Amino acid sequence: MKELSYTIHDEDGIHARPAGMLVKKMQEYASAVTIKNGEKTADGKKLFQVMKLGAKQNDTITVTTDGADEDDALAAAKSILEANL
């Protein structure tokens, strides 16, 4: 299991476009992907769950990957988050 903490910088927080990009990319991996914002948890491969996290600017989310390709999945998630949020 690998974990990444990331603070949202985008003034709109996690909105549809970056959430969609993240979910679409995470669906390419066999590993389980979980995203947490405070007490809320989402399956990183399900768009509506990620949107329901309600992550706003300056919130710190935690992305956890667990599985055979967890390193690659986490690297991809980090890349998308840094480029879009």
Side-chain angles (χ1 to χ4, degrees):
M1 182 179 339
K2 301 290 182 176
E3 190 173 279
L4 165 74
S5 291
Y6 183 79
T7 301
I8 305 297
H9 301 289
D10 190 295
E11 63 187 27
D12 295 325
I14 293 183
H15 50 94
R17 185 183 56 77
M21 292 171 62
L22 180 62
V23 168
K24 185 176 181 180
K25 189 64 176 176
M26 294 302 97
Q27 290 172 346
E28 296 176 11
Y29 296 95
S31 294
V33 180
T34 305
I35 304 172
K36 290 183 74 174
N37 181 30
E39 297 298 314
K40 296 179 183 178
T41 303
D43 180 337
K45 296 182 180 186
K46 299 190 184 283
L47 180 60
F48 289 115
Q49 287 187 26
V50 173
M51 293 295 296
K52 285 182 81 173
L53 289 174
K56 308 264 188 263
Q57 185 178 31
N58 298 320
D59 284 354
T60 299
I61 60 171
T62 303
V63 180
T64 305
T65 57
D66 188 18
D69 54 2
E70 62 191 25
D71 291 324
D72 293 337
L74 195 64
K78 181 178 180 184
S79 176
I80 289 170
L81 291 170
E82 289 177 344
N84 297 285
L85 294 169

